[in-house]
Amino acid sequence: LETEVPRHKKTLSQLQERDRAVSEQELPIIAAHFGLDPNKREGSDIVGEQGETLSSTSWDGGWMYRGPGILKGQRKIEAKLPPEKALALATDVVRRLPSLPGQVGEGTVLPGTDDDSFTWVVFPLLYEGQSVVTFNFPGYISKVSVQLGPDGDVWSVHLAYPMQALSEEAELISPEEAWDKLLQNDFLITLEENWGLIPGDRFAAAYSRVKKAELVYWPRYHQFARNEHYDIKYAFSGSTQIGGQQIKFTALVDAVQTVD
Protein backbone atom coordinates (compact mmCIF):
# COMPACT_ATOMS: atom_id res chain seq x y z
CA LEU A 1 0.00 0.00 0.00
CA GLU A 2 1.77 3.13 -1.25
CA THR A 3 -0.93 5.73 -0.61
CA GLU A 4 -3.18 7.12 2.11
CA VAL A 5 -6.55 5.45 2.54
CA PRO A 6 -9.67 7.64 2.45
CA ARG A 7 -11.28 8.98 5.59
CA HIS A 8 -13.71 6.50 7.12
CA LYS A 9 -17.28 7.52 6.38
CA LYS A 10 -19.62 5.76 8.76
CA THR A 11 -22.57 5.96 6.36
CA LEU A 12 -23.22 6.92 2.73
CA SER A 13 -26.44 7.43 0.78
CA GLN A 14 -27.41 4.89 -1.83
CA LEU A 15 -27.65 6.23 -5.40
CA GLN A 16 -29.83 5.60 -8.41
CA GLU A 17 -29.95 7.07 -11.89
CA ARG A 18 -32.17 10.12 -12.05
CA ASP A 19 -35.32 9.81 -14.14
CA ARG A 20 -35.18 11.45 -17.56
CA ALA A 21 -38.33 13.41 -16.64
CA VAL A 22 -36.27 15.46 -14.18
CA SER A 23 -33.92 16.55 -16.98
CA GLU A 24 -36.95 17.42 -19.12
CA GLN A 25 -38.31 19.61 -16.32
CA GLU A 26 -34.97 21.40 -15.95
CA LEU A 27 -34.55 22.22 -19.65
CA PRO A 28 -36.16 25.71 -19.37
CA ILE A 29 -33.63 26.67 -16.66
CA ILE A 30 -30.73 25.34 -18.73
CA ALA A 31 -32.09 27.04 -21.88
CA ALA A 32 -32.28 30.41 -20.14
CA HIS A 33 -28.69 29.97 -18.93
CA PHE A 34 -27.52 29.55 -22.55
CA GLY A 35 -29.65 32.46 -23.76
CA LEU A 36 -32.33 30.35 -25.46
CA ASP A 37 -36.09 30.88 -25.39
CA PRO A 38 -37.52 27.80 -23.62
CA ASN A 39 -40.75 28.16 -25.61
CA LYS A 40 -39.09 28.03 -29.03
CA ARG A 41 -39.01 24.35 -29.97
CA GLU A 42 -38.55 22.15 -32.98
CA GLY A 43 -39.82 18.72 -32.05
CA SER A 44 -38.28 17.88 -28.68
CA ASP A 45 -35.41 20.37 -29.09
CA ILE A 46 -35.25 23.90 -27.74
CA VAL A 47 -33.64 25.93 -30.54
CA GLY A 48 -31.82 29.27 -30.76
CA GLU A 49 -31.54 31.98 -33.37
CA GLN A 50 -28.07 30.81 -34.49
CA GLY A 51 -28.91 27.12 -34.74
CA GLU A 52 -28.21 26.21 -31.11
CA THR A 53 -30.12 23.26 -29.70
CA LEU A 54 -30.85 21.90 -26.24
CA SER A 55 -32.50 18.55 -25.62
CA SER A 56 -32.72 15.76 -23.07
CA THR A 57 -30.68 12.62 -23.83
CA SER A 58 -32.66 9.41 -23.65
CA TRP A 59 -29.57 7.15 -23.66
CA ASP A 60 -28.19 8.49 -20.36
CA GLY A 61 -30.99 10.50 -18.74
CA GLY A 62 -29.18 13.84 -19.02
CA TRP A 63 -29.21 16.71 -21.51
CA MET A 64 -27.03 18.15 -24.29
CA TYR A 65 -26.51 21.71 -25.49
CA ARG A 66 -25.03 22.24 -28.96
CA GLY A 67 -23.70 25.74 -29.62
CA PRO A 68 -23.52 27.55 -32.96
CA GLY A 69 -19.80 26.86 -33.31
CA ILE A 70 -20.34 23.12 -33.75
CA LEU A 71 -22.22 23.82 -36.99
CA LYS A 72 -18.96 24.97 -38.56
CA GLY A 73 -17.67 21.42 -38.27
CA GLN A 74 -14.06 20.36 -38.01
CA ARG A 75 -11.46 22.41 -39.82
CA LYS A 76 -7.72 22.07 -40.12
CA ILE A 77 -5.90 24.56 -37.93
CA GLU A 78 -2.27 25.34 -37.28
CA ALA A 79 -2.54 25.23 -33.48
CA LYS A 80 -5.09 23.67 -31.11
CA LEU A 81 -6.36 25.21 -27.92
CA PRO A 82 -3.64 24.62 -25.27
CA PRO A 83 -4.79 22.03 -22.67
CA GLU A 84 -4.31 24.37 -19.71
CA LYS A 85 -6.41 27.06 -21.39
CA ALA A 86 -9.08 24.52 -22.36
CA LEU A 87 -9.27 23.30 -18.76
CA ALA A 88 -9.60 26.84 -17.40
CA LEU A 89 -12.32 27.79 -19.91
CA ALA A 90 -14.28 24.57 -19.43
CA THR A 91 -14.04 24.85 -15.64
CA ASP A 92 -15.60 28.31 -15.81
CA VAL A 93 -18.40 26.98 -18.04
CA VAL A 94 -19.23 24.09 -15.70
CA ARG A 95 -19.00 26.07 -12.47
CA ARG A 96 -21.70 28.45 -13.76
CA LEU A 97 -24.15 25.73 -14.87
CA PRO A 98 -27.45 25.72 -12.95
CA SER A 99 -29.21 22.69 -11.49
CA LEU A 100 -26.34 20.19 -11.52
CA PRO A 101 -27.25 17.07 -9.50
CA GLY A 102 -23.87 16.74 -7.75
CA GLN A 103 -20.69 18.61 -6.95
CA VAL A 104 -18.21 19.25 -9.76
CA GLY A 105 -14.90 17.41 -9.48
CA GLU A 106 -11.57 18.15 -11.14
CA GLY A 107 -11.63 18.23 -14.94
CA THR A 108 -9.61 16.12 -17.36
CA VAL A 109 -8.63 17.20 -20.88
CA LEU A 110 -9.18 14.23 -23.17
CA PRO A 111 -6.48 13.33 -25.69
CA GLY A 112 -7.52 14.14 -29.25
CA THR A 113 -6.03 13.53 -32.67
CA ASP A 114 -4.07 15.88 -34.91
CA ASP A 115 -7.14 16.22 -37.13
CA ASP A 116 -9.41 17.40 -34.29
CA SER A 117 -10.04 21.13 -34.18
CA PHE A 118 -11.93 20.85 -30.89
CA THR A 119 -11.07 19.83 -27.31
CA TRP A 120 -13.14 17.77 -24.86
CA VAL A 121 -12.87 18.42 -21.11
CA VAL A 122 -14.67 16.03 -18.74
CA PHE A 123 -15.67 16.67 -15.11
CA PRO A 124 -16.91 13.96 -12.73
CA LEU A 125 -19.99 14.70 -10.67
CA LEU A 126 -19.51 13.82 -7.01
CA TYR A 127 -22.21 12.73 -4.58
CA GLU A 128 -21.32 13.33 -0.95
CA GLY A 129 -17.80 13.66 -2.31
CA GLN A 130 -17.74 10.29 -4.10
CA SER A 131 -17.62 9.66 -7.85
CA VAL A 132 -19.57 7.13 -9.94
CA VAL A 133 -16.92 5.16 -11.80
CA THR A 134 -16.52 2.86 -14.78
CA PHE A 135 -13.87 0.95 -16.72
CA ASN A 136 -13.81 3.46 -19.55
CA PHE A 137 -11.37 6.38 -19.67
CA PRO A 138 -11.41 8.82 -17.92
CA GLY A 139 -13.26 6.57 -15.48
CA TYR A 140 -16.48 8.46 -14.73
CA ILE A 141 -20.12 7.63 -15.45
CA SER A 142 -21.90 10.61 -13.92
CA LYS A 143 -20.21 13.60 -15.52
CA VAL A 144 -20.36 16.89 -17.39
CA SER A 145 -18.42 17.20 -20.66
CA VAL A 146 -17.53 20.46 -22.41
CA GLN A 147 -16.48 20.60 -26.07
CA LEU A 148 -14.50 23.70 -26.99
CA GLY A 149 -13.65 24.98 -30.45
CA PRO A 150 -10.14 26.13 -31.42
CA ASP A 151 -10.99 29.72 -30.46
CA GLY A 152 -12.29 28.69 -27.04
CA ASP A 153 -15.97 28.97 -27.97
CA VAL A 154 -18.37 26.41 -26.47
CA TRP A 155 -19.37 23.85 -29.09
CA SER A 156 -21.36 21.59 -26.77
CA VAL A 157 -22.07 20.76 -23.13
CA HIS A 158 -23.34 17.32 -22.09
CA LEU A 159 -24.69 16.19 -18.73
CA ALA A 160 -24.51 12.38 -18.60
CA TYR A 161 -25.98 9.93 -16.08
CA PRO A 162 -27.23 12.39 -13.47
CA MET A 163 -27.86 10.61 -10.17
CA GLN A 164 -30.08 11.11 -7.18
CA ALA A 165 -29.60 10.01 -3.60
CA LEU A 166 -32.05 7.60 -2.03
CA SER A 167 -33.41 8.13 1.45
CA GLU A 168 -31.70 5.00 2.75
CA GLU A 169 -28.10 5.15 3.94
CA ALA A 170 -25.67 2.26 4.08
CA GLU A 171 -23.35 1.58 7.00
CA LEU A 172 -19.78 1.22 5.79
CA ILE A 173 -16.78 -0.77 6.87
CA SER A 174 -13.56 1.15 7.46
CA PRO A 175 -10.83 1.48 4.81
CA GLU A 176 -8.59 -0.64 7.03
CA GLU A 177 -11.20 -3.42 7.07
CA ALA A 178 -11.43 -3.14 3.28
CA TRP A 179 -7.65 -3.48 3.04
CA ASP A 180 -7.82 -6.65 5.13
CA LYS A 181 -10.47 -8.05 2.78
CA LEU A 182 -8.18 -7.22 -0.14
CA LEU A 183 -5.34 -9.16 1.46
CA GLN A 184 -7.72 -12.09 1.97
CA ASN A 185 -8.57 -12.10 -1.79
CA ASP A 186 -12.12 -10.94 -1.09
CA PHE A 187 -12.41 -8.56 -4.05
CA LEU A 188 -13.08 -8.23 -7.77
CA ILE A 189 -10.32 -6.97 -10.04
CA THR A 190 -10.15 -5.46 -13.51
CA LEU A 191 -6.91 -5.36 -15.46
CA GLU A 192 -5.81 -2.88 -18.08
CA GLU A 193 -7.38 -3.59 -21.50
CA ASN A 194 -9.58 -6.26 -19.91
CA TRP A 195 -13.24 -5.27 -19.75
CA GLY A 196 -14.24 -8.00 -17.32
CA LEU A 197 -13.97 -8.51 -13.58
CA ILE A 198 -11.96 -11.37 -12.05
CA PRO A 199 -12.60 -12.73 -8.52
CA GLY A 200 -9.66 -12.07 -6.23
CA ASP A 201 -9.09 -15.74 -5.46
CA ARG A 202 -8.67 -16.39 -9.21
CA PHE A 203 -6.01 -13.73 -9.64
CA ALA A 204 -2.28 -14.28 -9.13
CA ALA A 205 0.66 -11.92 -9.58
CA ALA A 206 4.26 -11.64 -8.47
CA TYR A 207 3.44 -8.45 -6.56
CA SER A 208 1.08 -5.49 -6.70
CA ARG A 209 1.45 -1.86 -5.66
CA VAL A 210 -1.63 0.13 -4.65
CA LYS A 211 -1.14 3.81 -5.46
CA LYS A 212 -4.71 5.06 -5.05
CA ALA A 213 -7.50 4.13 -2.65
CA GLU A 214 -10.95 5.72 -2.77
CA LEU A 215 -14.60 5.19 -1.94
CA VAL A 216 -16.76 5.03 -5.09
CA TYR A 217 -20.12 4.11 -6.55
CA TRP A 218 -19.92 1.23 -9.02
CA PRO A 219 -22.65 0.00 -11.44
CA ARG A 220 -23.80 -3.44 -10.39
CA TYR A 221 -24.06 -4.60 -14.00
CA HIS A 222 -21.19 -2.73 -15.62
CA GLN A 223 -21.73 -4.43 -18.98
CA PHE A 224 -25.13 -2.73 -19.36
CA ALA A 225 -25.65 0.83 -20.61
CA ARG A 226 -28.01 1.66 -17.71
CA ASN A 227 -28.28 0.33 -14.17
CA GLU A 228 -30.93 0.21 -11.47
CA HIS A 229 -28.37 -0.41 -8.74
CA TYR A 230 -25.06 1.26 -7.92
CA ASP A 231 -22.99 -0.45 -5.23
CA ILE A 232 -20.63 1.29 -2.82
CA LYS A 233 -17.07 0.01 -3.12
CA TYR A 234 -13.55 0.72 -1.99
CA ALA A 235 -11.45 0.95 -5.16
CA PHE A 236 -7.73 0.13 -4.83
CA SER A 237 -5.78 1.03 -7.98
CA GLY A 238 -2.18 0.63 -8.98
CA SER A 239 0.12 -1.65 -10.95
CA THR A 240 0.82 -5.38 -10.78
CA GLN A 241 3.63 -7.56 -12.09
CA ILE A 242 2.43 -10.45 -14.27
CA GLY A 243 5.25 -12.27 -16.02
CA GLY A 244 7.49 -9.58 -17.46
CA GLN A 245 4.71 -7.00 -17.70
CA GLN A 246 3.60 -4.14 -15.49
CA ILE A 247 -0.19 -3.92 -15.78
CA LYS A 248 -2.55 -1.36 -14.27
CA PHE A 249 -5.40 -2.69 -12.16
CA THR A 250 -8.33 -1.67 -9.99
CA ALA A 251 -9.55 -3.97 -7.22
CA LEU A 252 -13.07 -3.45 -5.84
CA VAL A 253 -13.98 -4.35 -2.26
CA ASP A 254 -17.56 -4.23 -0.95
CA ALA A 255 -17.81 -1.22 1.36
CA VAL A 256 -21.22 -1.91 2.91
CA GLN A 257 -21.29 -3.45 6.36
CA THR A 258 -22.97 -6.87 6.31
CA VAL A 259 -25.10 -8.13 9.15
CA ASP A 260 -24.38 -11.69 10.26
Side-chain angles (χ1 to χ4, degrees):
L1 182 63
E2 298 179 353
T3 184
E4 296 292 327
V5 297
R7 178 178 62 87
H8 181 199
K9 286 191 172 185
K10 303 291 186 181
T11 62
L12 188 65
S13 297
Q14 300 280 6
L15 280 191
Q16 70 177 18
E17 293 179 14
R18 199 176 72 177
D19 194 278
R20 182 188 175 191
V22 180
S23 294
E24 289 278 3
Q25 293 168 2
E26 292 182 346
L27 285 185
I29 299 173
I30 307 300
H33 173 76
F34 287 114
L36 305 181
D37 181 354
N39 299 312
K40 187 175 181 182
R41 290 179 177 258
E42 292 182 1
S44 60
D45 293 350
I46 297 174
V47 297
E49 298 295 335
Q50 302 180 63
E52 311 99 305
T53 63
L54 174 68
S55 60
S56 61
T57 48
S58 60
W59 61 90
D60 57 26
W63 53 259
M64 177 173 281
Y65 165 78
R66 294 178 175 87
I70 200 171
L71 301 175
K72 302 173 186 177
Q74 297 188 30
R75 56 190 184 278
K76 189 67 178 178
I77 56 175
E78 294 300 324
K80 292 188 65 171
L81 196 64
E84 60 275 8
K85 184 176 182 180
L87 180 59
L89 290 173
T91 299
D92 181 62
V93 169
V94 172
R95 298 290 181 187
R96 290 187 288 108
L97 288 175
S99 300
L100 288 179
Q103 305 82 44
V104 178
E106 185 176 347
T108 299
V109 179
L110 301 188
T113 67
D114 293 338
D115 293 331
D116 291 337
S117 60
F118 58 85
T119 304
W120 279 104
V121 187
V122 180
F123 299 81
L125 288 174
L126 310 178
Y127 301 87
E128 297 185 42
Q130 318 310 137
S131 59
V132 187
V133 301
T134 179
F135 289 133
N136 302 327
F137 179 84
Y140 314 122
I141 293 178
S142 188
K143 60 185 181 289
V144 180
S145 304
V146 179
Q147 184 186 25
L148 298 170
D151 300 321
D153 50 331
V154 177
W155 279 18
S156 68
V157 182
H158 180 203
L159 170 68
Y161 294 96
M163 300 282 167
Q164 64 183 20
L166 300 176
S167 57
E168 58 183 296
E169 290 196 342
E171 294 188 10
L172 307 182
I173 65 174
S174 69
E176 291 76 16
E177 289 174 293
W179 175 250
D180 287 340
K181 292 180 73 172
L182 187 75
L183 296 180
Q184 295 165 16
N185 293 331
D186 187 4
F187 62 89
L188 295 173
I189 188 170
T190 175
L191 302 175
E192 184 180 15
E193 299 182 357
N194 179 358
W195 300 101
L197 286 168
I198 305 170
D201 59 3
R202 300 293 188 272
F203 171 74
Y207 64 85
S208 300
R209 290 192 173 99
V210 173
K211 301 180 179 179
K212 184 178 182 181
E214 56 184 338
L215 186 65
V216 301
Y217 291 99
W218 181 268
R220 184 170 299 179
Y221 304 107
H222 59 87
Q223 65 271 36
F224 295 158
R226 305 292 295 272
N227 270 261
E228 291 186 19
H229 303 283
Y230 283 80
D231 297 322
I232 305 171
K233 304 278 189 178
Y234 282 104
F236 296 93
S237 303
S239 61
T240 186
Q241 180 78 26
I242 300 179
Q245 290 185 299
Q246 286 278 340
I247 299 176
K248 294 180 181 179
F249 74 91
T250 296
L252 300 167
V253 176
D254 289 334
V256 176
Q257 187 79 255
T258 57
V259 178
D260 296 330

